[in-house]
Every structure is written in C-alpha cells, then in structure tokens.
Amino acid sequence: MQHFDSLVIVAIAALIHASFQMSVSVLTLLSSHTLGAKRSQAKLIRLTNSYTAGVAVMTALLLSFGAVLVSGLFGNKIPAILWVSLCGLLFGLGISVWLLYYRKEQGTSLWVPRDVARHLSERTKATKYSAEAFNLGLASVLGELLFIVGPVLVAVFILVKLPSAWQLGGVGVYTLISLLSLLIVNGLIGSGHSISRIQKWREDNKSFLQFAAGSALFVLGFYLYVEQVLTPTVMAAARGV
C-alpha cells in the first residue's frame, strides 16, 4: 500500500504538469501552420503524433535522468533539507504561476523568455517532416522547464525511494498523465475539430487553469512538508523522549 500511495503522489505531480500549456500551445501553432500550408489531414496527424511522441520521450528522459542523478548522490534516502528546499520551490512556483504564467494580454501567450518563444514559433512554421515535429516536441518540454521542474522533482524524489520495478511503473504513470491535456487536444485536432474553437476554449478557461495549477503546487508543497519533514521530525523527537 505504501508503494501505491507513492504512485498517487507521482500521479498528482503529473496532473499539475499536465495543467501547464507550453506543449499544447506549440501543438496548436504547429497544426495551424500545417493547415495554413494546405497540407492533408493525414499529414497533419503524422506531424501532431510525432510531436506528441517527442514530448513523451523528453518527459520520460527528464524523469529518468533526475532519478538516476538523485539516486547516485543520495541513494534512496533524501535528506530533509532537500525536502524543505523542494517545498519552498513548490510554494515559489505556485506564486509565480498565479502572477506570471499568462502574459497580461489577449490570447494564451505564456510567460516564457521571448527568445525561447520566438524559436519555438519559428520552428513550428518550418516543420514539414515527422522527425522535425518529434524534435519540436523535445524542445517544447525544455522550453517550459522553469515551471515543470517542481512537479518533476517531486516525482523524482518519490521514485528513488521505490523498488526498481515500481520506479519504471512510476515513470510510465507520470509520463502518461502529464500528457493528458496534450493527448486530448491532439485527439480533437486529429478528429477534425477547429483550431480556433480549441483556442477559444483555452482562452476562456486560462484563468481557471492558472489558479488551479498554482493552488495545486501550494497544496502539494504543504502535504510534502508535513509528510516528509514535519512528521519524521516529530516522530524522532517522540522516540527521543
């Protein structure tokens, strides 16, 4: 049951990851440029599926690399100071998402460095082949690393405490759940839904998504502080008495 509970925390972190919109924004841009260039629906589906695969691979690689690095440095016991630092990071990210995630303008423009945004936008215009779309998916994950680093580190810290088989399952669970919003939008585009209607929904609901993501980061940070820092400290003090 303890291992299952750990995977639940990983799944919650992945849901927070899924609420961020960089990968979805790049997907809608790619789709718009592809349709604007009068390419076929089959071509559009190949490009969007390749892009989604790139996002999935980079997410799994980030999680796996982080787990290997942390495990190599600390084994399966994370020092309390790192848990405190992670909780502080989650609180800071929660505030940043509340205040900064979307730019104060019409549309769904995100607060990311303008050089990164311009690079990704230019890449979507130039993408014509599946391999290019796959690489674009890899790049879009790195472009939002500033915000997704919190959920990814939560998953990493939880996974290194699990047996190897559970770690592999955890990587799969996190990757799949973190792709939920992207998979839904990809499915809508592939089934012929209008890009403009998808964008309209995203714009109408961006405040809710922003508030939900920031609040979820706060709640997760508070839970981890109680579970991983406060409770062990109290138990250790009680044993000392």
Side-chain angles (χ1 to χ4, degrees), residues 18-52:
S19 69
F20 295 129
Q21 296 292 301
M22 168 68 85
S23 295
V24 173
S25 293
V26 176
L27 178 65
T28 55
L29 274 176
L30 174 63
S31 303
S32 296
H33 293 314
T34 301
L35 292 173
K38 308 299 183 183
R39 299 190 180 101
S40 67
Q41 183 72 8
K43 179 70 170 180
L44 172 64
I45 292 174
R46 284 198 298 272
L47 290 178
T48 57
N49 286 345
S50 296
Y51 170 83
T52 302

Side-chain angles (χ1 to χ4, degrees), residues 207-222:
S207 295
F208 169 76
L209 293 173
Q210 184 175 5
F211 176 77
S215 300
L217 286 165
F218 258 91
V219 171
L220 183 58
F222 178 76

